[in-house]
Amino acid sequence: MSKQLFTIGYEGLDSERLVGVLRAAGVAVLADVRAVANSRKRGFSKGALGTSLREAGLGYAHLRSLGTPKSGRQAARAGDAALMRRIYCEEVLDTAAGIAALDDLAALAGSAPICLLCFERDPAGCHRRVLAERLAPRGFVVSDLYG
C-alpha cells in the first residue's frame, strides 16, 4: 500500500494561503526541512509558522538535520540545482546522521499525511525533491503542491 507525501515551497505564498493548500490536500503535519527556519517573509519563521499551523489544527515539525548546508543553499540561489544536489547528498543524506534523519522522516510520514516545506516554489531546484526521491522506494507517492 502506498503512502502519500506532499512537498511545497512557500515562495509566492502567504501563511493563510499555505494553510488553505495544506488543508485542501489533507495534510496533517508540515515538516519544515529548512536548515535555518528563519525567513524575511512575514509568517514563515519557525515560531510564527508553527503557531499559525497549530491554530489551524495542523502539526508542525522542524527537521533541521534534513536542511541544506549553506554551500548547498548558495548553489540553489545561483540556479545550480546539480551542485546543490551533490552537496546535499554528500554532506547530509549520505552520512550516518542523514540516514537516521531520513528514517525518522519516513516514520513520521508513514503515520500521517505530511508535507515537506522549503522556500523554492519549483521542487526541481530544491532539496525536498531529493528527499522525495529517497522516500519513493519506501512506498511513498509524492505530490508537489503549489499555492
Side-chain angles (χ1 to χ4, degrees):
M1 182 173 154
S2 62
K3 300 162 276 198
Q4 185 67 55
L5 174 73
F6 299 96
T7 84
I8 195 165
Y10 68 88
E11 183 178 14
L13 293 177
D14 59 36
S15 57
E16 294 81 15
R17 179 74 181 136
L18 174 69
V19 167
V21 170
L22 296 175
R23 279 187 164 161
V27 171
V29 177
L30 183 75
D32 187 342
V33 293
R34 297 176 291 170
V36 180
N38 292 323
S39 179
R40 285 178 247 141
K41 188 167 185 174
R42 188 177 158 279
F44 287 95
S45 289
K46 181 178 179 175
L49 182 59
T51 297
S52 68
L53 290 168
R54 284 188 291 278
E55 288 173 354
L58 300 170
Y60 173 79
H62 180 212
L63 306 177
R64 175 181 299 172
S65 61
L66 289 172
T68 307
K70 184 176 183 177
S71 58
R73 294 192 306 272
Q74 290 170 334
R77 277 193 287 278
D80 193 339
L83 179 58
M84 178 277 302
R85 176 183 285 269
R86 185 178 59 75
I87 291 168
Y88 184 63
C89 290
E90 288 176 2
E91 295 185 22
V92 178
L93 288 186
D94 294 338
T95 67
I99 292 166
L102 188 65
D103 288 344
D104 291 344
L105 175 59
L108 177 66
S111 66
I114 72 163
C115 184
L116 307 179
L117 171 89
C118 198
F119 173 74
E120 292 82 6
R121 177 175 169 77
D122 182 0
C126 183
H127 75 291
R128 67 183 192 273
R129 170 62 51 86
V130 180
L131 288 169
E133 290 169 356
R134 295 279 179 110
L135 290 173
R138 298 182 187 205
F140 289 92
V141 174
V142 179
S143 298
D144 296 311
L145 302 175
Y146 297 91

